[in-house]
Amino acid sequence: MDISLLDKNFASLGADDGSVEWISSHDERFSLHGVYFDEQNGLYMRVPDEVSEKANRALLTLAKMTAGGRLRFVTDSPLIAIKASLPAFTPMPHMSITGSHGFSVYIDGHFRARYSPKFEDFIGVPSGLSGRVCFAEKKNFADCGRKRVVDIYFPLYGGVAELYIGLANGSSVERAPEYTYKKPLLFYGSSITQGACVSRPGNDYIAILARRLDSDYVNLGFSGNGNAEDAIIDYISSIDASVYAFDYNLYRSRPERVLPPHYSIYERIREKHPDAGILLYDKPGCDYEGFAEREDIIRSTYERAKEQGDSRVAFVPTKALLGEGERDCCMTDPSHPNDLGAMRVADALYPAIKELLEHNN
């Protein structure tokens, strides 16, 4: 099928050679995770606009960035192609376009390919939701002529308006098996949670953790805006998750932010989900930045919860997140982990999350 006949945005990408069957991402044989498609906006999203309006208008943009979004299916196709129409968020100097606006493909849980627009694709395109960048790319996997599970990870800082998956003509395609842990892990925070500065989707620490655990997950990291507003905490509490992990912006150096007491967030989640796991931790690298009181606040919440008899709460110390030795090599800047840093964070959080999951099953 020539997709340009359906969507003129793809007309400049060239005619199909007839060897590929293009399937809309909305096809029922695909399962969608971590995001949902909003018909009114014509975009994949993480949080409804009405929640963002109540919480913080910055989320109207950030919630349209598809961090944590995945499309899963099983196929025996020896090739996988992608055609995508992306809202033209401005590329960032400290993060690769592959990480911010690209897709990653994992086959049977292992990284196999990245698909990404190029810098020149953004030239002359308006920034923000008014612009569109369309790109197409095809990869061959000669060693994969059998059925296997494919995960396509969505952009961490870009958005997705339209997506088509191309498979070799005659290939099978069916829904992927369910995760071992069907209830998602839910992570709430700011830019580090969203995945800032890793090289590609799938390298953020949440994705690494979820693959190790074979768990579904939801990424509610919002760059610079993990402020725990009432509306966003209500939204988080409305999601039925196996574990709630949160690190929100406890910046006392920014008095313009009115932040709720840390313990109150724990209380609100626990009230709605008495049997779920709750993981408390701070962002990696914060011990570089002189906010020692942050960890005291978080630890206090944990100790108070344990004193109240909560056996389903865990705490991971800040210095444990990046481990020992060559910590500077883990950071892109004093705040954001690179790929190595994200892996170390996943290593540090894994035992606590695994224990919480096993406690609940």
Side-chain angles (χ1 to χ4, degrees), residues 294-312:
R294 291 168 57 118
E295 181 155 6
D296 293 339
I297 292 169
I298 297 168
R299 187 189 296 272
S300 176
T301 293
Y302 168 72
E303 292 174 349
R304 187 174 170 187
K306 295 296 284 186
E307 288 170 2
Q308 297 293 324
D310 192 339
S311 62
R312 293 179 172 86

Side-chain angles (χ1 to χ4, degrees), residues 185-204:
L185 309 171
L186 189 150
F187 287 79
Y188 174 64
S190 53
S191 55
I192 297 169
T193 304
Q194 187 171 336
C197 295
V198 299
S199 65
R200 53 177 167 77
N203 267 10
D204 56 290

Side-chain angles (χ1 to χ4, degrees), residues 308-354:
Q308 297 293 324
D310 192 339
S311 62
R312 293 179 172 86
V313 62
F315 168 75
V316 177
T318 305
K319 286 191 174 179
L321 295 176
L322 293 178
E324 299 295 334
E326 300 297 336
R327 296 176 81 244
D328 291 345
C329 296
C330 297
M331 306 297 285
T332 299
D333 56 33
S335 293
H336 301 104
N338 54 25
D339 291 350
L340 174 61
M343 185 183 73
R344 286 194 176 183
V345 174
D347 290 342
L349 296 183
Y350 176 85
I353 293 181
K354 181 68 171 174

Side-chain angles (χ1 to χ4, degrees), residues 46 61-68 86-92 94-102 129 154-160 190-198 200-201 204 219 221-225 336:
R46 294 186 288 160
T61 296
L62 292 164
K64 296 176 177 67
M65 298 177 182
T66 51
L86 313 178
F89 294 107
T90 304
M92 298 177 288
H94 62 301
M95 190 171 179
S96 70
I97 292 176
T98 300
S100 62
H101 293 75
L129 298 176
F154 286 22
L156 293 167
Y157 271 75
V160 179
S190 53
S191 55
I192 297 169
T193 304
Q194 187 171 336
C197 295
V198 299
R200 53 177 167 77
D204 56 290
N219 183 330
F222 303 110
S223 270
N225 286 276
H336 301 104

